[in-house]
């Protein structure tokens, strides 16, 4: 084929690459690359043309058709334009099952199409939406779910089937020559557009913690994706992509991927990309429909899909309002003129149908005292009188107000001893915020908002995440958490006991040894660490009933809500018998010095010692995590700063000095001013949620365990380091604000909106720079008292940079810049390893104070050495310097903050003028002696 040939349409395909074979020699059980007959099959598994012509596009529905073979003709397009069949699904079809994914039960249908389904040319079965039409299921909820599932799945996956079939045709006829100049844009005869990438090779097989098996594929990168220069250079002829399985539980697909990736199977592959198709967009809905197929407690199922036609008069009041004497409390709806009334305002639900007002003419009289108009009053009464109600009306008729009134009425009418929540669902976040805002304004504050799409600040305290952090756990939850903690501790401390105290470990291991049977071990894992938990609670191993009760509880099989199967019951009894036998063995073997004979106080002391031995390693790992985070945030900050610097010319180009460009210029300033906000928020969130709580409780933890050696490094620099990163973000933002002011200032006098922007930037920049200088004074005091010299130098440099920002704006500040620079120079000279790399930054700032231009970039690559090394903190070598600064001796040769040098207090100069001379001193002493 020609190297420059364009995309091949299905009508132009030529059957030159396929061989012809008789139908009886071709295997019908070969699907998805594997044969159902296994190695016993002797028939052909090749894609071919059938000689007898039974597989024709003209008659795809005949009983003798072979639907699971590739045809070189276009997919069947019926003349009557009907792409569905009414012949039932699966075994109900008179002509037999269409493919291996054609089932009566939708729960057996794979969400994504199978290979056999893609190759099938018979039209799919599709039930009609109208309940009056025939369906293979009886009318009801399952019938509705079946219809919705099949229709949604067809609409979502038909484009996949069409594109894959068309791609398979091209794969069958295309030459195997390397061709990197192909056109990847394709279109099927049915109009489905997709991208087709050739020469796909399995490069690498990876395993991800959450995604499971991940495979890296390479493919020939088309010329149009490389650009003319890259194409002529010969670079980037191959591109790669990482893919994971759509269904991680599909073991057959996983097996095929492994075989091909390891070279055990060979084949030719293409990569298909369907634009605009997102798997979670439809797969989650389809799986939920499968779960609801035979549900017996689906909401409103008797109304949404009734077994027989349902009239409005048959929809009665909700269960809570079906009592004979029940009445709704509508006091909260009273108008202001009626609020002084002492009698309760109640409203009974309608008990007759239809239109209760005709038979109960005075039923709605209480609504005349409310703030509702006539239409809203009728709607309110009808809604309260039905289990399922629907209200519609044009904009401005008070539908939202009606919803708020309904919510208030239902809440006020509930049983106070057993209140129930109300679920409010809206189509958009804005509508939900508006509805909840009206409820809040009417005094309803018991609100929990799900989702994080709200743009209203007042909703923050009502977000589910915020509320969950303030909730107090119940006693039962507290007991469950304690049991879970003990169980986890038992599993964690097993490693420590096994390595350091094998004799003690044997006391627990002997009790938990449940044999070699795989089933027993798998079931017993649910009660892992039960021996340690029983021992921590002060349990006596001779009390077999108490021990077996604990093991049985942790096992969870005896108390399960569902009835256990017979084999599960037998396994449980077998495990209990083994535990009983082990307990008797431990009592006999460890009669002398038995750990189980110790008192509860002695056990608690042992537990504390175990915690003390395990905590240093965990603390070391926390330091390593802090180091990685510091390096990551510093790297993101540097990249964001470089992005702002490199795109400064773009702002000048995009800024429009026009009276009609006010909105555009305002958005331009806002976008550039917020470019550091994402990095800044990450830093502050991690500092507030992880670093600060850790440092506040670290020393208390060591004191509680009565082992201060856990923290050989009591001076922790991490909170101050994250504060420094925050102020660096603010510095970059304010420097960009100064640059934007310089661009816009020449046009401020002529354009009012530009003057407003310039004045606003000046005010905000001045205020924030002043606040940051003040905040850095406090941080400098902390760093100086803790002898964090490297941090102190960097804090001073950032503080001086804020002063530079104010000076560029023409704003004065009382910061003693000369003294600060002298202190920086003195520290850099004394601590050459820890603070020496900042000498270049010092010289840049000093040159500015001497009248030079302000520095464009303050911190160079050499200053990132501290951050880079902390990101590579090696666990297991934690130590501290004489000043108490923690660091890894494997990563740093000396303390990265102070080089291990202790603070030296310089003696104050002596003022000899205030002391007596020698002669005067002797005269004074002589006079005292005489007296």
């Amino acid at each position: 084929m020609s190297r420059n040939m364009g995309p091949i349409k299905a009508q132009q395909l030529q059957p030159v690459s396929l061989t012809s074979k008789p139908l009886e020699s071709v295997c019908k059980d070969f699907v998805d690359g594997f044969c159902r007959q296994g190695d016993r099959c002797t028939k052909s598994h090749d894609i071919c043309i059938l000689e007898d012509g039974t597989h024709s596009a003209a008659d795809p529905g005949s009983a003798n058709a072979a639907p699971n073979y590739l045809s070189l003709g276009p997919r069947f397009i019926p003349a009557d334009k009907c792409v569905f069949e009414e012949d039932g699904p699966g075994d109900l079809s008179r002509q037999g099952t269409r493919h291996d994914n054609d089932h009566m039960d939708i729960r057996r249908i794979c969400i994504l199409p199978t290979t056999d389904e893609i190759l099938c040319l018979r039209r799919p079965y599709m039930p009609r939406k109208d309940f009056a039409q025939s369906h293979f299921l009886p009318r009801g909820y399952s019938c509705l779910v079946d219809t919705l599932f099949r229709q949604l799945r067809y609409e979502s996956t038909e484009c996949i089937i069409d594109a894959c079939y068309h791609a398979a045709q091209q794969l069958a006829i295309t030459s195997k020559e390397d061709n990197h100049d192909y056109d990847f844009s394709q279109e099927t005869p049915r109009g489905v557009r997709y991208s087709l990438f050739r020469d796909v090779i399995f490069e690498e097989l990876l395993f991800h913690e959450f995604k499971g098996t991940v495979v890296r594929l390479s493919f020939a990168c088309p010329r149009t994706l490389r650009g003319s220069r890259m194409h002529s250079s010969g670079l980037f002829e191959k591109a790669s992509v990482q893919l994971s399985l759509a269904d991680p539980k599909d073991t057959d697909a996983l097996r095929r991927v492994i075989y091909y990736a390891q070279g055990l199977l060979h084949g030719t592959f293409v990569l298909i990309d369907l634009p605009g198709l997102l798997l979670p967009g439809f797969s989650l809905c389809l799986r939920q429909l499968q779960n609801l197929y035979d549900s017996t407690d689906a909401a409103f199922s008797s109304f949404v899909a009734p077994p027989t036609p349902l009239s409005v008069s048959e929809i009665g009041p909700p269960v809570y309002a079906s009592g004979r004497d029940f009445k709704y409390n509508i006091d909260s709806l009273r108008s202001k003129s009626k609020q002084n009334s002492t009698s309760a305002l109640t409203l009974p639900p309608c008990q007759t149908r239809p239109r209760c007002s005709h038979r109960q003419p005075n039923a709605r009289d209480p609504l005349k005292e409310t703030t509702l108009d006539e239409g809203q009053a009728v709607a309110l009464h009808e809604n309260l009188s039905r289990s399922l109600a629907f209200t519609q009306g044009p904009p401005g008729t008070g539908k939202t107000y009606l919803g708020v009134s309904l919510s208030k009425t239902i809440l006020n009418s509930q049983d106070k001893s057993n209140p129930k929540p109300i679920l409010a669902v809206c189509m958009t976040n804005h509508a939900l915020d508006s509805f909840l805002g009206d409820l809040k304004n009417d005094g309803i504050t018991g609100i929990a908002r799900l989702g994080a799409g709200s743009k209203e600040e007042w909703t923050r305290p009502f977000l589910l995440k915020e509320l969950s952090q303030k909730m107090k756990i119940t006693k039962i939850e507290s007991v469950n958490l304690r049991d879970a903690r003990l169980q986890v501790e038992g599993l964690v401390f097993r490693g420590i006991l096994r390595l350091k105290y094998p004799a003690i470990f044997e006391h627990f291991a002997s009790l938990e040894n449940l044999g070699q049977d795989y089933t027993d071990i798998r079931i017993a894992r649910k009660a892992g660490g039960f021996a340690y938990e029983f021992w921590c609670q002060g349990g006596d191993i001779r009390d077999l009933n108490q021990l077996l009760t604990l093991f049985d509880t942790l096992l969870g099989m005896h108390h399960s809500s569902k009835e256990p199967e017979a084999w599960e019951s037998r396994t449980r009894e077998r495990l209990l018998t083994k535990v009983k036998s082990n307990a008797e063995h431990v009592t006999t073997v460890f009669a002398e010095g038995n750990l189980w004979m110790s008192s509860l106080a002695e056990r608690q002391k042992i537990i504390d010692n175990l915690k003390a031995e395990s905590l240093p390693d965990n603390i070391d790992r926390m330091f390593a995590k802090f180091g990685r985070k510091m390096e990551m945030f510093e790297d993101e900050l540097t990249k964001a700063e470089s992005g702002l610097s490199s795109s400064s010319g773009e702002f000048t180009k995009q800024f429009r000095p026009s009276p009609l460009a006010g909105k555009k210029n305002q958005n331009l300033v806002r976008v550039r001013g917020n470019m550091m906000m994402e990095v800044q928020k990450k830093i502050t969130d991690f500092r507030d949620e992880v670093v600060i709580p850790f440092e506040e409780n670290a020393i208390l933890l060591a004191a509680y365990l009565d082992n201060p050696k856990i923290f050989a490094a009591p001076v922790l620099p991490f909170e101050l380091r994250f504060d420094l990163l925050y102020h660096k973000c603010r510095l970059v933002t304010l420097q960009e604000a100064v640059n934007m002011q310089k661009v816009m200032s020449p046009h401020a006098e002529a354009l009012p909106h530009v003057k407003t922007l310039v004045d606003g930037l000046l005010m905000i920049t001045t205020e924030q720079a002043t606040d940051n200088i003040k905040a850095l004074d406090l941080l400098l005091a902390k760093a100086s008292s803790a002898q964090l010299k490297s941090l102190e130098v960097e804090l001073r440099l950032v503080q001086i940079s804020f002063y530079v920002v104010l000076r560029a704006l023409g704003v004065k500040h009382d910061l003693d810049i000369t003294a600060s620079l002298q202190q920086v120079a003195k520290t850099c000279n004394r601590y050459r390893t820890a603070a020496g790399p900042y000498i270049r930054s010092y010289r840049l700032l000093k040159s500015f104070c001497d009248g030079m231009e302000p520095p464009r970039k303050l911190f160079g690559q050499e200053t990132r050495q501290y951050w880079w090394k902390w990101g590579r903190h090696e666990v297991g070598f934690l130590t501290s310097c004489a000043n108490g600064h923690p660091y890894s001796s494997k990563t740093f040769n000396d303390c990265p903050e102070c080089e291990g040098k202790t603070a030296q207090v310089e003696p104050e100069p002596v003022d000899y003028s205030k002391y007596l001379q020698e002669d005067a001193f002797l005269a004074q002493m002589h006079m005292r002696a005489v007296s």
Side-chain angles (χ1 to χ4, degrees):
M1 296 179 66
S2 172
R3 182 173 292 272
N4 296 322
M5 181 178 291
I8 302 175
K9 304 301 180 182
Q11 297 89 338
Q12 302 170 341
L13 297 174
Q14 300 298 325
V16 294
S17 301
L18 295 181
T19 58
S20 298
K21 294 186 179 181
L23 175 63
E24 58 272 9
S25 68
V26 178
C27 179
K28 296 183 179 180
D29 294 320
F30 185 69
V31 180
D32 285 355
F34 286 86
C35 180
R36 300 189 184 101
Q37 301 297 327
D39 297 335
R40 298 172 297 174
C41 183
T42 59
K43 293 189 176 183
S44 174
H45 296 154
D46 297 331
I47 297 177
C48 60
I49 299 176
L50 304 179
E51 289 182 348
D52 59 0
T54 57
H55 182 54
S56 62
D59 186 21
S62 62
N64 296 324
N68 51 344
Y69 297 102
L70 181 68
S71 171
L72 291 179
R75 288 188 71 206
F76 176 68
I77 302 178
D80 57 0
K81 304 299 181 182
C82 181
V83 296
F84 306 125
E85 285 184 0
E86 294 187 3
D87 191 13
D91 296 334
L92 293 180
S93 173
R94 294 185 299 271
Q95 301 178 13
T97 304
R98 296 169 177 81
H99 45 76
D100 63 351
N101 202 26
D102 185 24
H103 303 290
M104 294 170 50
D105 191 342
I106 61 172
R107 292 171 295 185
R108 298 181 57 195
I109 298 177
C110 298
I111 301 299
L112 292 176
T114 63
T115 303
D116 202 26
E117 183 178 4
I118 292 173
L119 296 176
C120 178
L121 292 184
R122 277 187 62 187
R123 291 178 288 182
Y125 165 75
M126 188 61 60
R128 297 182 181 272
K129 295 181 179 180
D130 190 357
F131 266 18
Q133 299 292 330
S134 60
H135 195 284
F136 70 92
L137 290 174
R139 177 171 179 157
Y141 189 72
S142 296
C143 176
L144 173 65
V145 173
D146 179 273
T147 303
L148 295 176
F149 176 86
R150 295 181 188 275
Q151 291 175 353
L152 177 59
R153 184 178 182 273
Y154 177 83
E155 293 174 358
S156 304
T157 63
E158 174 59 21
C159 60
I160 301 177
I161 295 175
D162 200 30
C164 290
Y165 194 90
H166 185 261
Q169 290 177 321
Q170 299 218 41
L171 180 62
I173 69 162
T174 303
S175 172
K176 295 184 179 180
E177 299 178 358
D178 290 336
N179 184 2
H180 299 295
D181 295 341
Y182 64 91
D183 188 351
F184 64 92
S185 299
Q186 303 292 330
E187 183 175 355
T188 70
R190 293 190 177 185
V192 176
R193 296 183 178 181
Y194 68 98
S195 300
L196 179 67
F197 302 102
R198 304 180 184 277
D199 298 340
V200 174
I201 299 175
F202 287 80
E203 297 287 354
E204 187 179 11
L205 196 63
L206 307 170
F207 296 94
H208 192 271
E209 181 180 3
F210 303 109
K211 299 179 182 178
T213 303
V214 178
V215 60
R216 184 170 67 87
L217 304 176
S218 66
F219 58 91
C221 186
R223 179 185 60 183
T224 52
L225 294 183
R226 284 180 281 159
S228 57
R229 292 186 179 180
M230 290 185 181
H231 173 67
S232 60
S233 66
L235 300 175
F236 303 104
E237 292 187 353
K238 283 283 187 177
S240 65
V241 64
Q242 286 189 355
L243 303 176
S244 59
L245 294 175
D247 183 7
K249 299 179 181 179
D250 189 349
T251 55
D252 290 337
L254 175 61
R255 188 182 301 113
R256 289 197 301 276
V257 168
I258 295 176
Y259 284 172
Y260 283 115
Q262 299 298 326
L264 302 177
L265 290 178
H266 302 280
T268 306
F269 301 92
V270 293
L271 191 63
I272 298 174
D273 178 34
L274 287 160
L277 184 69
L278 188 63
L279 178 62
F282 61 88
S283 61
L284 299 178
C285 296
L286 290 174
R287 286 196 182 95
Q288 186 61 22
L289 286 173
Q290 288 177 323
N291 296 334
L292 293 174
Y293 180 66
D294 59 349
S295 176
T296 57
D297 59 348
F300 306 114
S301 58
S302 59
F303 303 134
V304 176
T308 58
L310 186 68
S311 64
V312 177
S313 60
E314 297 181 49
I315 303 178
V319 176
Y320 60 81
S322 57
R324 177 176 299 180
D325 300 327
F326 178 83
K327 293 183 179 181
Y328 286 102
N329 183 352
I330 57 174
D331 271 332
S332 59
L333 307 182
R334 283 183 186 268
S335 59
K336 293 183 179 180
S337 60
K338 304 290 185 179
Q339 288 181 355
N340 296 328
S341 177
T342 57
S343 60
L345 190 60
T346 59
L347 179 69
C350 295
Q351 299 295 337
T352 57
R353 297 290 179 268
R355 292 294 177 184
C356 61
S357 58
H358 295 304
R359 301 189 181 183
Q360 295 173 318
N362 300 324
R364 297 198 183 108
D365 285 349
L367 293 172
K368 296 179 180 179
E369 301 183 25
T370 66
T371 56
L372 304 173
D373 59 27
E374 183 178 358
Q376 293 169 345
V378 173
L380 179 75
H381 201 192
E382 293 290 332
N383 277 274
L384 293 174
S385 303
R386 290 188 172 88
S387 301
L388 177 65
F390 178 74
T391 302
Q392 62 180 350
T397 54
K399 296 186 295 299
T400 303
Y401 183 73
L402 174 64
V404 173
S405 301
L406 280 168
S407 301
K408 292 165 58 178
T409 300
I410 295 173
L411 287 174
N412 293 333
S413 305
Q414 289 189 15
D415 183 3
K416 303 302 181 184
S417 62
N418 187 25
K420 302 293 184 181
I422 296 177
L423 177 64
V425 182
C426 296
M427 293 293 292
T428 63
N429 283 300
H430 176 73
L432 180 59
D433 290 339
S434 176
F435 181 75
L436 296 180
D438 291 342
L439 286 175
K440 177 175 172 290
N441 294 334
D442 277 3
I444 298 177
T445 56
I447 300 172
R449 191 193 190 284
L450 280 68
S454 175
K455 296 182 180 180
E456 300 291 338
E457 189 64 28
W458 67 265
T459 62
R460 183 177 298 274
F462 300 100
L463 294 177
L464 188 62
K465 180 180 179 181
E466 297 288 335
L467 295 174
S468 62
Q469 296 175 352
K470 301 176 182 178
M471 290 181 63
K472 295 182 178 180
I473 60 176
T474 62
K475 291 184 178 180
I476 297 178
E477 291 173 336
S478 177
V479 172
N480 292 337
L481 286 174
R482 183 203 64 191
D483 294 342
R485 177 181 57 79
L486 288 173
Q487 193 172 0
V488 171
E489 284 182 359
L491 297 174
V492 172
F493 292 151
R494 286 173 67 93
I496 301 174
L497 294 175
R498 185 194 297 271
L499 293 175
K500 297 184 178 181
Y501 308 101
I504 297 179
F505 173 75
E506 191 62 27
H507 288 75
F508 298 120
S510 299
L511 185 58
E512 295 181 353
N513 183 15
L514 299 176
Q516 302 297 324
D517 185 84
Y518 172 75
T519 304
D520 291 356
I521 294 175
R522 181 171 58 85
I523 297 298
R525 283 176 182 170
K526 299 178 181 178
F530 75 93
Y532 173 81
E533 180 172 350
F534 185 65
W535 180 78
C536 287
Q537 295 176 356
D540 187 348
I541 197 171
R542 294 168 295 186
D543 189 348
L544 294 178
N545 290 331
Q546 186 180 5
L547 175 63
L548 295 178
T549 300
L550 173 65
F551 179 77
D552 198 18
T553 302
L554 294 176
L555 209 59
M557 298 171 60
H558 181 65
H559 302 284
S560 177
S561 57
K562 65 177 183 179
E563 188 69 22
E565 297 184 10
W567 69 269
E568 292 179 325
S569 299
R570 291 194 299 269
T571 301
R572 170 178 166 271
E573 295 298 331
R574 188 164 59 249
L575 291 174
L576 291 174
T577 303
K578 288 184 179 180
V579 172
K580 180 179 179 181
S581 175
N582 291 344
E584 295 172 350
H585 173 75
V586 170
T587 305
T588 304
V589 174
F590 299 103
E592 296 294 333
N594 196 337
L595 189 69
W596 291 95
M597 299 304 150
S598 57
S599 64
L600 185 60
E602 291 173 335
R603 297 182 187 187
Q604 188 61 47
K605 188 66 176 178
I606 295 174
I607 294 171
D608 290 342
N609 290 335
L610 287 174
K611 290 180 179 179
E613 292 190 26
S614 65
L615 274 174
D617 182 64
N618 294 331
I619 292 168
D620 196 4
R621 294 183 184 278
M622 283 298 294
F623 288 170
K625 179 178 180 179
F626 291 166
R628 290 193 300 270
K629 287 291 185 180
M630 287 194 302
E631 189 212 4
M632 182 186 73
F633 291 146
E634 170 69 15
D635 186 57
E636 291 185 11
L637 192 155
T638 303
K639 289 180 180 178
E641 181 182 9
S642 300
L644 276 173
S645 178
S646 61
S647 62
S648 58
E650 293 295 324
F651 177 80
T652 306
K653 293 179 181 179
Q654 295 177 9
F655 174 73
R656 295 175 57 189
S658 168
L660 302 178
K663 190 69 174 178
K664 184 181 185 313
N665 292 335
Q666 181 181 356
N667 291 335
L668 187 61
V669 171
R670 178 179 55 81
V671 170
R672 292 192 67 83
N674 292 333
M675 288 183 70
M676 299 296 297
M677 291 302 296
E678 183 178 356
V679 180
Q680 179 180 312
K681 187 177 186 305
K682 288 181 181 179
I683 294 171
T684 54
D685 287 348
F686 187 79
R687 179 197 63 188
D688 297 341
E689 297 175 6
V690 180
V691 178
I692 293 179
F694 176 82
E695 292 198 4
E696 287 179 348
N697 296 292
I699 308 302
L700 294 177
L701 181 62
Y704 170 74
L705 295 174
D706 195 21
N707 191 346
K709 293 183 179 180
I710 293 176
F711 272 91
V715 181
L716 303 178
F718 301 110
E719 181 183 352
L720 293 176
R721 280 286 171 183
F722 280 93
D723 286 336
L724 171 62
L725 289 173
Y726 165 78
H727 287 290
K728 278 187 172 183
C729 288
R730 300 308 307 149
L731 175 61
V732 174
T733 301
L734 298 186
Q735 287 174 339
E736 179 60 25
V738 173
N739 294 333
M740 289 190 291
Q741 280 184 292
K742 291 181 180 179
V743 175
M744 295 187 296
S745 293
H747 310 282
E749 296 298 329
L751 299 173
H753 79 272
V754 175
K755 181 174 175 53
T756 302
L757 290 175
V758 171
D759 293 343
L761 284 175
L762 175 62
M763 180 186 67
I764 294 174
T765 306
T766 303
E767 180 181 348
Q768 292 193 5
T770 305
D771 292 343
N772 279 273
I773 290 175
K774 184 177 180 180
L776 285 166
D777 279 334
L778 298 176
L779 299 181
L780 280 168
K782 293 181 180 179
S784 179
S785 63
Q787 297 299 315
L788 300 168
K789 296 302 179 181
S790 175
L791 177 61
E792 181 183 349
V793 167
E794 200 162 357
L795 287 170
R796 287 192 183 278
L797 291 173
V798 173
Q799 187 183 47
I800 297 171
S801 299
F802 281 113
Y803 174 84
V804 172
V805 169
L806 291 176
R807 185 167 169 177
L809 297 174
V811 179
K812 295 182 179 180
H813 194 275
D814 56 359
L815 178 67
D816 190 348
I817 191 72
T818 303
S820 295
L821 286 172
Q822 289 177 352
Q823 186 63 36
V824 169
K826 181 179 178 181
T827 307
C828 290
N829 289 327
R830 174 171 172 77
Y831 303 90
R832 294 186 178 275
T833 303
Y838 298 99
I839 195 67
R840 174 184 169 276
S841 303
Y842 156 75
R843 290 170 180 167
L844 289 174
L845 288 175
K846 189 175 185 305
S847 63
F848 167 73
C849 295
D850 293 340
M852 303 293 288
E853 287 291 323
R856 290 180 175 270
K857 192 172 183 180
L858 180 62
F859 298 104
Q861 191 66 25
E862 67 279 358
T863 62
R864 298 193 67 244
Q865 180 181 7
Y866 176 94
W867 307 92
W868 184 85
K869 283 192 173 182
W870 256 114
R872 284 146 186 82
H873 174 92
E874 293 195 33
V875 178
F877 303 92
L878 183 64
T879 185
S880 61
C881 67
N883 293 317
H885 306 143
Y887 65 96
S888 173
S889 60
K890 190 70 176 294
T891 307
F892 298 96
N893 295 328
D894 293 309
C895 175
E897 294 289 352
C898 66
E899 303 176 10
K901 300 177 182 179
T902 57
Q904 296 182 1
V905 180
E906 297 181 0
E908 295 183 2
V910 180
D911 184 7
Y912 294 100
S913 62
K914 62 183 181 180
Y915 296 101
L916 294 174
Q917 296 296 327
E918 183 179 358
D919 295 340
F921 173 76
L922 292 175
Q924 289 281 353
M925 293 299 102
H926 181 71
M927 290 177 63
R928 290 186 182 181
V930 173
S931 62

